[in-house]
Amino acid sequence: MSNFAKQIPKAVKEIRLHFCQTSGHSAGVRQFVQSSYPSIKSSNPDLKFLIREASDISPRAFVRFERGAESQTQLADLSESQVSAELSKLVNSQTVGKPQ
């Protein structure tokens, strides 16, 4: 089970990943989804984890916190471990209603 799956705070209500199914820029995101999705869902069954695939888009991650606050980051050309690190930063970037 990945460390990322265990560290998602309760304040996180949704994680949304946008990426291309074929682009090399999205390869790390696709690998992350394949290897980490099962552990994320088993550790956080109530978390909305949305995967949005579209042709020729730049890979991005969005995290929605309680009270509707949202943060996002670019994931282009990152490896699977770098994607995990960026998502960790993103989910920990906000405490209940306060951007850091």
Side-chain angles (χ1 to χ4, degrees), residues 1 3 10 12-13 21-23 38-39 43-44 55-56 63-66 75-77 89 100:
M1 187 177 300
N3 286 336
K10 294 291 181 197
V12 174
K13 300 302 177 193
Q21 306 96 313
T22 57
S23 166
S39 63
S43 296
N44 306 279
S55 296
D56 299 323
V63 175
R64 187 174 50 83
F65 299 90
E66 54 191 18
L75 301 174
D77 299 317
K89 286 185 216 171
Q100 289 183 337

Side-chain angles (χ1 to χ4, degrees), residues 5 12 18 21 37 41 43 47 51 73 77:
V12 174
H18 294 209
Q21 306 96 313
Y37 181 82
K41 283 310 285 181
S43 296
L47 176 69
I51 297 167
T73 190
D77 299 317

Side-chain angles (χ1 to χ4, degrees), residues 48-97:
K48 292 179 185 174
F49 194 94
L50 308 173
I51 297 167
R52 301 290 182 246
E53 296 177 317
S55 296
D56 299 323
I57 63 165
S58 180
R60 299 181 74 76
F62 299 83
V63 175
R64 187 174 50 83
F65 299 90
E66 54 191 18
R67 300 185 185 164
E70 202 171 273
S71 295
Q72 63 177 298
T73 190
Q74 286 280 350
L75 301 174
D77 299 317
L78 299 180
S79 69
E80 178 183 349
S81 60
Q82 290 171 317
V83 169
S84 180
E86 285 298 312
L87 283 171
S88 293
K89 286 185 216 171
L90 202 56
V91 300
N92 294 305
S93 69
Q94 196 156 27
T95 359
V96 186

